[in-house]
């Protein structure tokens, strides 16, 4: 059904490659067009990211997340050892992700320039350059996963404009891999040592300060004013040029239509302080293939359901993690600079509308590789709705629980679980979940 439908994915980061692999598994003819990362950047990833990469078929990429670094925090004058993170060079990760894509039978094209996407005709077209020669590719659908470098600059709703200044370092005298995050007067600083004398420092600040920093000497002057001792700058040498890139929260106003979808940071990006960029990208790429499958194979009515489903998911994740970022900023009480004032007051608090929960409504869900409207249970913890717990459908059970006593409901649940051969540990977990969501009330 899908082998004759061509899809191009623009961008070969986590969002692009995991989406491409998901589409290939559904039988689509998938091509990735990408431009190599122009600078060196390191990033910290959680165990959750490693598990996500493995679950989405990125074995080579997951292997790079093999050595954890202790993450120290000196935030709001509270020093602690927070957790561990995998620190990976993004160029190495990009290469591994491309290997995963190729091993899944996906065609890849390295371009000098990836230009415009034309959606005016019946089929969208992607314009790109290899050397100086221009090419045009006509496809059935476009996935834009260019991250923060997407060209749609004026089409986003944005938070306070932060920029991150990135500098690769040669660090002498360190033995153990480690990272740290520190809040300072004019922003926050992330430092990393990854072994073999390789280190990295990132300073995130307001746009008004970032425009004054053009080189490492400028950055060092600003860092010296922050009244903090930085271990990465005790015995070091800067490697290469400083890199400046935006790191503020933003979400695209449209996100998706019937010819094109934005994935990862192209769709919405959160403050890296929240530590959820990779998780956010894979939350989108895990459902995007089914959304696209519905758009290309189902009726107009079903396409609308799939488009709204994806938009709602992206907006929900964005709102959730922008609040996480704000909560971190609110912990800092020592500084009243513009940087802190702006971020402690964005986003504005929304007034929660009291709802009679839990309740049953018809919402979009993923089923049998498509998105369809289906009855779901809306709870406080699941505002988008849930229709399955593991492999157990919950709607009929919820309807029964709403109408019957606790004891009768327990007997009903036991009968259903026995018929389905559910193991006892699952049954116990399922009952606890039903109680926690107030579906099953004692």
């Amino acid at each position: 059904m899908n082998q004759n439908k061509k899809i191009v994915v623009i961008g070969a980061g986590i969002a692009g490659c995991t989406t491409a692999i998901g589409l290939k598994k559904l039988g689509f003819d998938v091509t990735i067009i990408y431009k190599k990362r122009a600078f060196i950047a390191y990033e910290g990833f959680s165990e959750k990211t490693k598990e996500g990469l493995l679950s989405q078929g990125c074995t080579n990429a997951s292997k790079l997340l093999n050595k954890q670094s202790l993450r120290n925090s000196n935030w709001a004058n509270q020093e602690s050892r927070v957790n561990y993170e995998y620190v990976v060079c993004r160029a190495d990760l990009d290469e591994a992700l491309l290997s995963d894509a190729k091993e899944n039978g996906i065609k890849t094209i390295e371009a000098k320039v990836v230009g415009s996407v034309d959606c005016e005709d019946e089929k969208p077209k992607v314009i790109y350059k290899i050397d100086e020669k221009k090419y045009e590719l006509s496809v059935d659908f476009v996935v834009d996963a260019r991250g923060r470098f997407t060209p749609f600059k004026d089409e986003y709703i944005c938070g306070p404009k932060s920029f991150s200044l990135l500098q690769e370092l040669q660090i002498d005298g360190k033995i153990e891999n480690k990272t740290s995050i520190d809040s300072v007067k004019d922003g926050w600083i992330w430092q990393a040592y990854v072994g073999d004398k390789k280190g990295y420092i990132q300073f995130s600040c307001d746009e008004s300060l970032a425009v004054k920093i053009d080189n490492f000497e400028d950055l060092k002057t600003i860092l010296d004013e922050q009244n903090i001792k930085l271990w990465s700058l005790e015995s070091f040498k800067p490697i290469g040029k400083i890199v400046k890139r935006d790191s503020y929260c933003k979400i695209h106003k449209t996100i998706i239509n019937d010819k094109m979808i934005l994935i990862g940071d192209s769709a919405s990006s959160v403050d890296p302080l929240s530590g959820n960029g990779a998780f956010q990208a894979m939350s989108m790429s895990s459902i995007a293939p089914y959304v696209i499958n519905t758009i290309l194979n189902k009726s107009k009515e079903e396409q609308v359901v799939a488009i709204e489903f994806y938009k709602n998911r992206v907006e929900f994740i964005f709102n959730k993690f922008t609040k996480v970022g704000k909560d971190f900023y609110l912990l800092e009480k020592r500084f009243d600079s513009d940087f802190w004032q702006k971020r402690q007051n964005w986003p504005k608090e929304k007034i929660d509308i009291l709802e009679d929960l839990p309740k049953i409504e018809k919402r979009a869900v993923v089923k049998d590789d498509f998105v369809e409207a289906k009855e779901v249970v809306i709870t406080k913890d699941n505002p988008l709705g849930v229709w399955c717990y593991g492999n157990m459908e919950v709607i009929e059970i919820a309807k029964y629980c709403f109408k019957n006593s606790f004891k009768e409901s327990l007997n009903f649940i036991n009968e259903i679980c026995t018929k389905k051969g559910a193991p006892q540990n699952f049954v116990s977990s399922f009952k606890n979940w039903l109680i926690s969501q107030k579906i099953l009330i004692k």
Side-chain angles (χ1 to χ4, degrees), residues 77 91 199 206 222 280 285 354 396 401 408 429:
N77 213 27
D206 194 71
I222 298 294
Q280 184 186 26
S285 66
L354 294 176
E396 294 308 315
C401 290
E408 289 171 326
S429 170

Side-chain angles (χ1 to χ4, degrees), residues 87-105:
V87 181
V88 180
C89 175
R90 284 306 304 261
D92 294 341
L93 186 64
D94 292 344
E95 190 175 326
L97 287 164
L98 277 168
S99 295
D100 287 317
K102 290 173 184 175
E103 287 178 10
N104 278 274

Side-chain angles (χ1 to χ4, degrees), residues 206-215 218-219 222 244:
D206 194 71
E207 181 182 30
S208 59
L209 181 57
V211 295
K212 300 175 184 177
I213 303 173
D214 294 319
N215 51 51
D218 294 340
L219 175 60
I222 298 294
K244 187 187 300 184

Side-chain angles (χ1 to χ4, degrees), residues 35 94 225 301 305 327 331 367 417 442:
K35 183 181 176 183
D94 292 344
E225 296 171 358
E301 292 78 10
V305 169
D327 289 344
L331 293 173
K367 186 180 180 186
C417 290
K442 290 183 178 180

